[in-house]
Amino acid sequence: MDKIIDRRDLDFVLYDLLQVEELTRYPRFAEHSRQTFASAIGTALAIAEQKFAPCNRKCDANEPHFDGERVHVIPEVKEAIDAFAQAGFIAAMYDEAQGGMQLPYCVTLACYAIFRGANVAVDAYATLTAGAADLIHEFGSPEQKARYLAPMLTGRYFGTMVLTEPQAGSSLADVETSATPRPDGTYAIKGNKIFISGGDHELSDNIVHMVLARIPGAPPGVKGISLFIVPKYRVDSEGRLGAKNDVALAGLIHKMGYRGTTSTMLNFGENDGCAGELVGEPHRGLTYMFQMMNAARVGVGLGAAMLGYTGYLHALDYARERLQGRSGKDPHAPPVPIIRHADVRRMLLAQKAYVEGALALCLYAGLLVDRQKYAATDEERREARLLLDLLTPIVKTWPSRYGVEANSLAIQVHGGYGYTREYAVEQFFRDNRLNEIHEGTSGIQALDLLGRKVIAENGAPLRLFGRALAETVLAARGCEDAELAQHAAHLSDAWERLVETTRVLGGAMAKNPELGLANASVYLDMFGHTVMAWIWLKQALVAWPKRSADGAEGDFYRGKLGAARYFFHWELPKTGPQHTLLRSLDTSCLEMQEGWF
Amino acid sequence: MDKIIDRRDLDFVLYDLLQVEELTRYPRFAEHSRQTFASAIGTALAIAEQKFAPCNRKCDANEPHFDGERVHVIPEVKEAIDAFAQAGFIAAMYDEAQGGMQLPYCVTLACYAIFRGANVAVDAYATLTAGAADLIHEFGSPEQKARYLAPMLTGRYFGTMVLTEPQAGSSLADVETSATPRPDGTYAIKGNKIFISGGDHELSDNIVHMVLARIPGAPPGVKGISLFIVPKYRVDSEGRLGAKNDVALAGLIHKMGYRGTTSTMLNFGENDGCAGELVGEPHRGLTYMFQMMNAARVGVGLGAAMLGYTGYLHALDYARERLQGRSGKDPHAPPVPIIRHADVRRMLLAQKAYVEGALALCLYAGLLVDRQKYAATDEERREARLLLDLLTPIVKTWPSRYGVEANSLAIQVHGGYGYTREYAVEQFFRDNRLNEIHEGTSGIQALDLLGRKVIAENGAPLRLFGRALAETVLAARGCEDAELAQHAAHLSDAWERLVETTRVLGGAMAKNPELGLANASVYLDMFGHTVMAWIWLKQALVAWPKRSADGAEGDFYRGKLGAARYFFHWELPKTGPQHTLLRSLDTSCLEMQEGWF
């Protein structure tokens, strides 16, 4: 299994925890079954093991380079993405009529999880292509779909997301790239973009850039931004590749990790010859992009969870093999596997709690996407949408933060070896550090959660999540196990405190937004830990009746209960001081003047 | 100043907080004054700015490599260390008669801090040489001192510390390298060592390896290990270099960071021709080594603090320059420096609190070393020793952990740019991650603190530290400032809880050592935060009377009070749940069985 994922755990999450088989009751997935899901996951695992994982280190050691004419990427990358595309994973969720697998999003995420755990940098090309394709699928004209979407779904064209500009960073309101209408109905695109992953390479016949730009006369700020298709090579109405568009590689960016993915600075229209096609209506670009962005954010969380997960499996393997030290003080006693040392078990248990919890959370978000789209009633769909919106900032950031923490612990378990490039874990740590930054930094997510999500629709999302949590608490009390009942009591308390803290902050924000929002990052972290405690109690509830099973099966469930216990004893209590801090409306950060640093 | 350190802060710590001028009352430092200290620090800064910092990135990008015959290191490294040695910094603490500067340890550390902040990888060669020299100085024979120490103090020979073996790791009891007596009085050394920093290069005329090995018939475990001088090139009684000793480079290790320092696997005596000289008495090697190790551990903490410190200054500079986003919602308003955003200030304030606190802690440890050696009375020297022993695990690990956290925040302040190798902060993050591993992992430090240090001499060290803390609390109450009084109350509470937690754990350990020690890492972290709160209250006390000064001077002190406030409001409360966990004698990690993972 190449230490990518514990298949037993993945099945547990999908079938026992999330009960994804129930999705087959929706007409869209009626042809599917646990067998077809398993088959897709099995294919993903096979490709990940054969094509993705083996070149992970090589991708890191052989960063893409530009020779003045072309960007060179090691050939294994193309082989891997070709296998991914040929197996149908770019079009995994598309209609069967379109050559897709018509898989639920949740199951698709399970497959993507495997690729990300195996080689996150290679997966990025595929993910970006899928994301760009989705934008065209959702908002493009039939003609744009014919020319661009079809070759993207088969992996012949790759896609990118082109948002960031050097001067604007997270502040998309300040996008300055211009799109001037031309007589032929296209737009002349002009501007500089930065941090464009997959922005240039020779891996595909074409690259379809999805570019945010401003049409002259557009309103200022985020409401004046439009979305354009800007292909690297022009495509005529018959789908034939034409001349190169005026998109110039201004430079490659050299990153700490994720090195297998080209990261570029691109200049559009340096020679006034860059043609773009408007997608959908003018000025609605950011709205469109944000629909994808939410999926992208779940995807970032998933990648972070999986980097943590594979790191954990590597550390676990090492801890079982590595002999060092002894249990007592007798120097004649033979050395023991380091997993016998309590502090090593602590580090493994923390990793297990972080990464299995994070994966379950991300797949739960995937399930909400499916429900939001395909559930039977309006009400169910609405509820799924509200929950998904609420949780997205947490799904993006919690795994990113605690995934890195898990990777750091994986290094620590390896000792000095973990710090070397001869072992895999140091790369996971470097790769994972990106995830708190891209697709909206954690700071941006925190403002989104507290400033928008929890106060949306008069607090309906918060109440909905509270209801889900209360059901879990009730179930845990119902099984009459002293430990689960205690977990339930702690979760219930934590939730009450969260609601009260939210109320206090909401009141403060109504009077002085900055005062309420100043400590939003703490709120995000606290909320995330509470959600994660809920995820762990849900897992414990499933595991509890099977805790006495024999052998490996019973071990698996006892492990789940052990990790849940760890989370409730070690992690959830950390939210206590966070509530105190937040409710005090602490002004330490606000009052610290620039000159005082 | 090249963003290495805030000289104003360094002076504050040395002269206002630690009052190092009082050291000049000790006869050993009678010739010194604030002026001579400042002169040494000024020289260190000049060399660090001119020779160390400029090649920091280049050292990282051009790792040492082995061509089959020689190890190549970029020439700037030799230039930097030559400047360091020529200015007398290897011999900084040695007698003036020996060509030393006879500086206090605390002031020497201040100088070393600057070099480490500028280029930690280059500094490592110098630090290791100083450490190896100290071993010979303390325990070597006059003859060994004549042949090895003199050329080391001038930087003509470099030194290394050779402890770790591939199969033993942290478990030095399992060292297997053998040292067999030879007729000429030397020993035949045979064995394989790993993670030997500076283990091979062409930077110096010779390399003096300080090697732990076992004489045949020695007792098992740590009480049977002896210390040997094993030079790369033999040295005759006249100090002339002779033939190459049988020390073979088995390979270079490629690390995540600290790349400018060669890290080696060395094979001693592959051809049975490796001669070593016993240092001091047989079987006392580990005792000798640990005397240096304590200094090395303070040094690790200092390096970690300084990597965090320089990262903070880089982030601060960036946050003041970078324009992005705006204060209100008006899209026409001009963008503001990101330091105006509360969440960016939070990240800067956390960094400031971590790194300035960590530096002050490390220099305080340096002061204890001076007191331990030179204070006027036995009692003062004893107290300094007890405090230093108690605090060493914290001085080593707290800056290592929170220094990395600071570096991560520095990346986050930079956003996407911070993740690229075009900006300095990503290297600091990678470099700093080593510090929780080498010279005894954090897990080992935690066992040392709880299993040995706090229970030493019937708890005398803990009582001593409690006394120092109580004095600070009393002083804070005495200045009649509501905020300082509140800090004092919180610190006092935290200390009472710490003492009670220690008592509970001590009781448990008496019955079942594993139960008490299982959560030692949490104890270490909690103790560290409490010590750091004390350090911040001490700083606040010095700053308080000057808080209303005009201009930059007042800003500096207001900044100190702001950082103290941050630490008391945001950080110290994190110890609350830690006490609860520890006192519950939680068995989550102990009970988690190997098969359950």
Side-chain angles (χ1 to χ4, degrees):
Chain A
M1 205 73 97
D2 241 353
K3 292 176 266 186
I4 300 168
I5 199 167
D6 177 353
R7 178 70 186 267
R8 178 71 192 79
D9 180 43
L10 182 63
D11 287 348
F12 167 84
V13 172
L14 289 176
Y15 305 120
D16 299 332
L17 183 73
L18 303 179
Q19 303 185 308
V20 294
E21 279 173 274
E22 291 193 3
L23 290 173
T24 62
R25 294 190 306 186
Y26 299 160
R28 166 117 194 132
F29 308 121
E31 306 288 307
H32 278 292
S33 64
R34 178 158 174 168
Q35 285 66 42
T36 62
F37 295 163
S39 158
I41 291 167
T43 304
L45 259 177
I47 294 171
E49 285 173 5
Q50 288 157 27
K51 301 285 183 184
F52 277 63
C55 65
N56 190 43
R57 184 126 292 240
K58 192 172 174 189
C59 284
D60 183 68
N62 297 274
E63 234 174 343
H65 69 277
F66 182 55
D67 65 7
E69 292 197 3
R70 303 162 37 124
V71 173
H72 295 268
V73 175
I74 60 167
E76 288 88 343
V77 174
K78 184 162 174 53
E79 281 178 41
I81 305 176
D82 283 350
F84 180 99
Q86 279 158 24
F89 282 110
I90 297 176
M93 290 177 291
Y94 283 74
D95 295 356
E96 284 177 7
Q98 274 181 289
M101 290 195 251
Q102 219 163 308
L103 277 174
Y105 189 65
C106 181
V107 178
T108 304
L109 276 190
C111 297
Y112 285 2
I114 292 163
F115 293 111
R116 266 163 230 184
N119 190 328
V120 79
V122 166
D123 178 78
Y125 294 104
T127 301
L128 286 163
T129 300
D134 288 352
L135 269 177
I136 298 173
H137 175 69
E138 286 283 325
F139 307 109
S141 66
E143 207 262 331
Q144 286 169 339
K145 288 183 198 174
R147 280 190 298 148
Y148 298 108
L149 183 58
M152 289 170 84
L153 293 181
T154 57
R156 206 154 63 74
Y157 294 2
F158 282 8
T160 70
M161 301 290 206
V162 184
L163 288 75
T164 308
E165 298 182 5
Q167 84 292 345
S170 298
S171 179
L172 290 173
D174 292 310
V175 158
E176 287 173 0
T177 294
S178 64
T180 310
R182 307 201 301 183
D184 66 356
T186 65
Y187 289 75
I189 311 292
K190 196 174 176 69
N192 304 326
K193 296 283 189 173
I194 194 167
F195 300 130
I196 309 309
S197 296
D200 203 5
H201 53 70
E202 308 282 327
L203 298 166
S204 55
D205 293 351
N206 204 354
I207 302 176
V208 180
H209 301 294
M210 305 303 294
V211 179
L212 290 185
R214 202 178 277 286
I215 298 170
V222 293
K223 290 178 178 165
I225 297 172
S226 305
L227 178 64
F228 298 87
I229 293 173
V230 182
K232 178 177 179 182
Y233 296 101
R234 296 174 192 220
V235 181
D236 72 14
S237 56
E238 307 298 311
R240 284 174 302 221
L241 287 181
K244 201 166 175 302
N245 207 349
D246 182 11
V247 181
L249 178 69
L252 291 179
I253 295 162
H254 301 95
K255 306 187 295 303
M256 178 160 70
Y258 256 90
R259 293 192 184 180
T261 313
T262 58
S263 180
T264 62
M265 294 176 277
L266 295 179
N267 293 349
F268 292 83
E270 272 184 341
N271 303 302
D272 296 322
C274 180
E277 301 177 25
L278 181 67
V279 177
E281 295 168 28
H283 315 324
R284 302 213 49 208
L286 213 59
T287 310
Y288 301 156
M289 194 58 101
F290 264 85
Q291 242 166 285
M292 302 322 308
M293 193 60 101
N294 278 333
R297 285 172 175 175
V298 172
V300 168
L302 184 73
M306 288 308 301
L307 284 167
Y309 207 124
T310 186
Y312 162 59
L313 295 180
H314 280 77
L316 182 56
D317 201 53
Y318 184 82
R320 284 179 168 149
E321 302 283 325
R322 170 73 176 175
L323 304 176
Q324 196 182 300
R326 38 193 59 72
S327 296
K329 292 203 164 188
D330 174 10
H332 293 287
V336 298
I338 59 171
I339 197 171
R340 303 272 169 84
H341 303 309
D343 195 53
V344 172
R345 281 215 291 284
R346 168 187 69 84
M347 294 191 277
L348 292 170
L349 197 45
Q351 289 173 70
K352 181 180 169 77
Y354 294 156
V355 306
E356 292 183 5
L359 176 64
L361 174 65
C362 294
L363 294 178
Y364 171 68
L367 185 67
L368 290 177
V369 173
D370 289 314
R371 284 192 190 150
Q372 171 191 1
K373 283 188 175 169
Y374 304 112
T377 68
D378 281 353
E379 187 54 24
E380 281 176 274
R381 291 195 296 275
R382 175 176 172 272
E383 290 187 355
R385 175 176 60 76
L386 290 174
L387 278 175
L388 181 66
D389 279 355
L390 176 71
L391 294 179
T392 296
I394 290 161
V395 175
K396 199 266 174 187
T397 55
W398 199 92
S400 297
R401 176 162 176 184
Y402 293 94
V404 173
E405 184 60 30
N407 287 140
S408 184
L409 290 168
I411 289 174
Q412 200 69 17
V413 167
H414 283 74
Y417 295 102
Y419 191 69
T420 71
R421 306 207 297 283
E422 279 78 7
Y423 285 74
V425 287
E426 71 86 29
Q427 184 186 342
F428 303 144
F429 179 69
R430 284 186 290 110
D431 286 350
N432 217 350
R433 184 62 188 81
L434 180 59
N435 289 315
E436 276 214 87
I437 300 171
H438 65 168
E439 313 295 357
T441 63
S442 294
I444 296 286
Q445 304 300 322
L447 293 177
D448 184 43
L449 178 67
L450 182 57
R452 274 194 289 268
K453 297 301 174 59
V454 296
I455 57 175
E457 310 205 13
N458 279 319
L462 207 60
R463 285 192 298 277
L464 264 179
F465 184 73
R467 208 175 68 198
L469 189 138
E471 283 167 17
T472 307
V473 164
L474 200 66
R477 283 174 176 153
C479 71
E480 294 183 5
D481 176 77
E483 182 158 326
L484 289 199
Q486 199 181 46
H487 294 346
H490 289 155
L491 180 58
S492 187
D493 284 354
W495 180 252
E496 277 173 34
R497 273 179 292 163
L498 187 151
V499 170
E500 173 61 12
T501 298
T502 306
R503 197 190 60 74
V504 171
L505 289 174
M509 284 192 302
K511 289 176 203 144
N512 177 355
E514 212 183 8
L515 185 62
L517 289 169
N519 304 327
S521 286
V522 177
Y523 183 82
L524 174 69
D525 191 47
M526 173 277 293
F527 205 137
H529 254 53
T530 310
V531 170
M532 194 46 63
W534 172 66
I535 288 276
W536 271 110
L537 187 55
K538 280 172 79 77
Q539 294 190 79
L541 269 172
V542 178
W544 185 78
K546 302 168 186 167
R547 70 196 179 285
S548 305
D550 289 337
E553 203 49 18
D555 279 348
F556 175 81
Y557 293 113
R558 290 185 283 274
K560 283 288 180 194
L561 290 168
R565 182 184 184 191
Y566 168 84
F567 203 88
F568 276 92
H569 290 197
W570 287 63
E571 297 289 339
L572 184 60
K574 291 178 183 172
T575 60
Q578 293 177 317
H579 286 290
T580 307
L581 177 72
L582 287 166
R583 289 193 211 168
S584 76
L585 300 175
D586 182 71
T587 54
S588 302
C589 302
L590 279 180
E591 288 180 11
M592 184 77 185
Q593 300 299 305
E594 193 179 328
W596 299 359
F597 283 100
Chain B
M1 206 76 97
D2 243 353
K3 294 176 263 186
I4 299 167
I5 199 167
D6 176 354
R7 177 69 187 267
R8 178 69 192 81
D9 181 43
L10 182 62
D11 287 349
F12 168 84
V13 172
L14 289 175
Y15 305 119
D16 298 333
L17 183 74
L18 303 179
Q19 304 185 305
V20 294
E21 279 173 275
E22 292 192 2
L23 289 173
T24 60
R25 294 190 307 188
Y26 299 161
R28 166 118 194 129
F29 307 123
E31 307 287 308
H32 277 292
S33 64
R34 181 160 173 166
Q35 284 67 41
T36 61
F37 295 163
S39 158
I41 290 168
T43 304
L45 259 177
I47 295 172
E49 285 174 6
Q50 288 157 26
K51 301 286 183 183
F52 278 62
C55 66
N56 190 42
R57 183 125 293 238
K58 191 172 174 189
C59 284
D60 183 68
N62 297 274
E63 234 173 345
H65 69 276
F66 182 55
D67 65 8
E69 292 197 2
R70 302 162 38 125
V71 174
H72 296 268
V73 175
I74 59 166
E76 288 88 342
V77 174
K78 184 161 173 55
E79 280 177 41
I81 306 175
D82 282 351
F84 180 100
Q86 279 159 23
F89 283 110
I90 298 177
M93 290 178 292
Y94 283 72
D95 295 357
E96 284 176 7
Q98 273 181 291
M101 291 194 252
Q102 218 162 309
L103 278 174
Y105 190 65
C106 182
V107 177
T108 305
L109 275 189
C111 297
Y112 285 2
I114 292 163
F115 293 111
R116 265 163 231 185
N119 190 327
V120 79
V122 165
D123 178 78
Y125 294 103
T127 302
L128 286 162
T129 300
D134 288 352
L135 269 176
I136 297 173
H137 175 69
E138 285 284 325
F139 308 110
S141 66
E143 207 262 332
Q144 286 168 339
K145 288 184 200 177
R147 279 191 300 146
Y148 297 108
L149 182 58
M152 290 171 83
L153 292 182
T154 57
R156 204 153 65 76
Y157 293 3
F158 282 8
T160 71
M161 301 291 205
V162 185
L163 288 75
T164 309
E165 297 183 3
Q167 83 293 344
S170 298
S171 178
L172 290 173
D174 292 309
V175 158
E176 286 173 1
T177 294
S178 64
T180 312
R182 308 201 300 183
D184 65 357
T186 67
Y187 288 76
I189 310 292
K190 197 174 176 69
N192 304 327
K193 296 283 187 173
I194 193 168
F195 300 129
I196 309 309
S197 295
D200 204 3
H201 53 70
E202 307 283 326
L203 298 166
S204 55
D205 293 351
N206 204 355
I207 303 176
V208 181
H209 302 295
M210 305 303 295
V211 180
L212 291 185
R214 204 177 277 288
I215 298 169
V222 294
K223 291 179 178 164
I225 297 173
S226 305
L227 178 64
F228 299 87
I229 293 173
V230 182
K232 178 176 177 182
Y233 296 101
R234 297 177 192 217
V235 181
D236 72 13
S237 55
E238 310 297 311
R240 285 173 302 220
L241 287 181
K244 201 167 175 303
N245 208 347
D246 181 10
V247 181
L249 178 68
L252 291 180
I253 295 162
H254 301 95
K255 305 187 295 303
M256 177 159 71
Y258 256 90
R259 292 191 184 180
T261 313
T262 58
S263 180
T264 62
M265 294 176 277
L266 295 179
N267 292 350
F268 292 82
E270 273 184 340
N271 302 303
D272 296 324
C274 180
E277 302 177 25
L278 180 67
V279 177
E281 294 169 28
H283 316 324
R284 301 215 47 209
L286 213 59
T287 310
Y288 300 157
M289 195 57 101
F290 264 84
Q291 243 165 285
M292 300 325 305
M293 192 60 101
N294 278 333
R297 286 173 174 174
V298 172
V300 168
L302 184 72
M306 288 308 300
L307 283 167
Y309 207 124
T310 186
Y312 162 58
L313 294 181
H314 280 77
L316 182 56
D317 202 51
Y318 184 81
R320 286 178 167 150
E321 302 281 326
R322 170 73 176 173
L323 303 177
Q324 198 183 299
R326 41 192 57 70
S327 296
K329 291 202 164 189
D330 175 10
H332 294 286
V336 298
I338 60 171
I339 197 171
R340 301 271 170 85
H341 303 309
D343 196 53
V344 172
R345 281 215 291 283
R346 169 188 68 85
M347 294 191 277
L348 292 170
L349 198 44
Q351 288 172 70
K352 181 180 169 76
Y354 294 156
V355 306
E356 290 183 6
L359 176 64
L361 174 66
C362 293
L363 294 178
Y364 171 69
L367 185 67
L368 290 178
V369 173
D370 289 314
R371 284 192 191 148
Q372 171 191 2
K373 283 188 176 170
Y374 303 112
T377 68
D378 280 354
E379 187 54 22
E380 281 176 273
R381 291 195 297 273
R382 175 176 172 271
E383 289 188 356
R385 174 176 62 76
L386 290 174
L387 278 176
L388 180 65
D389 279 354
L390 176 71
L391 293 180
T392 296
I394 290 162
V395 175
K396 199 265 176 189
T397 55
W398 199 93
S400 298
R401 176 162 175 184
Y402 293 94
V404 172
E405 183 61 29
N407 288 141
S408 184
L409 290 169
I411 289 175
Q412 199 71 16
V413 167
H414 283 74
Y417 295 101
Y419 191 67
T420 72
R421 308 209 294 285
E422 279 78 7
Y423 285 75
V425 287
E426 72 85 31
Q427 183 186 343
F428 302 144
F429 179 68
R430 286 187 288 110
D431 286 351
N432 216 350
R433 184 61 189 82
L434 179 59
N435 289 316
E436 276 213 86
I437 300 172
H438 64 168
E439 311 296 357
T441 64
S442 294
I444 296 285
Q445 303 301 322
L447 294 176
D448 184 43
L449 178 67
L450 182 57
R452 273 195 288 267
K453 297 301 174 60
V454 296
I455 56 175
E457 310 205 15
N458 278 319
L462 207 60
R463 285 191 299 278
L464 262 180
F465 183 73
R467 208 175 67 197
L469 190 138
E471 282 166 17
T472 307
V473 165
L474 199 66
R477 282 175 176 153
C479 69
E480 293 183 5
D481 175 76
E483 182 158 324
L484 290 199
Q486 199 181 46
H487 295 347
H490 289 154
L491 181 58
S492 186
D493 283 355
W495 180 251
E496 277 173 33
R497 274 179 290 164
L498 188 151
V499 170
E500 173 61 12
T501 298
T502 306
R503 196 191 60 74
V504 172
L505 290 174
M509 283 191 303
K511 289 176 202 144
N512 178 354
E514 213 183 6
L515 185 63
L517 289 170
N519 304 326
S521 286
V522 177
Y523 184 82
L524 174 68
D525 190 47
M526 173 277 294
F527 206 137
H529 254 53
T530 310
V531 170
M532 195 45 64
W534 172 66
I535 288 277
W536 271 111
L537 187 55
K538 282 171 77 78
Q539 293 190 78
L541 268 173
V542 178
W544 186 78
K546 302 168 187 168
R547 70 196 179 285
S548 304
D550 290 335
E553 203 49 19
D555 280 348
F556 175 81
Y557 292 113
R558 290 185 283 273
K560 282 289 178 193
L561 290 167
R565 182 183 182 191
Y566 167 85
F567 203 88
F568 275 93
H569 290 197
W570 287 63
E571 297 290 337
L572 184 61
K574 292 179 182 171
T575 60
Q578 293 177 317
H579 286 289
T580 308
L581 177 73
L582 287 166
R583 288 192 210 167
S584 76
L585 300 174
D586 183 70
T587 55
S588 302
C589 301
L590 278 181
E591 287 180 11
M592 183 78 185
Q593 300 299 305
E594 190 177 331
W596 299 1
F597 282 100

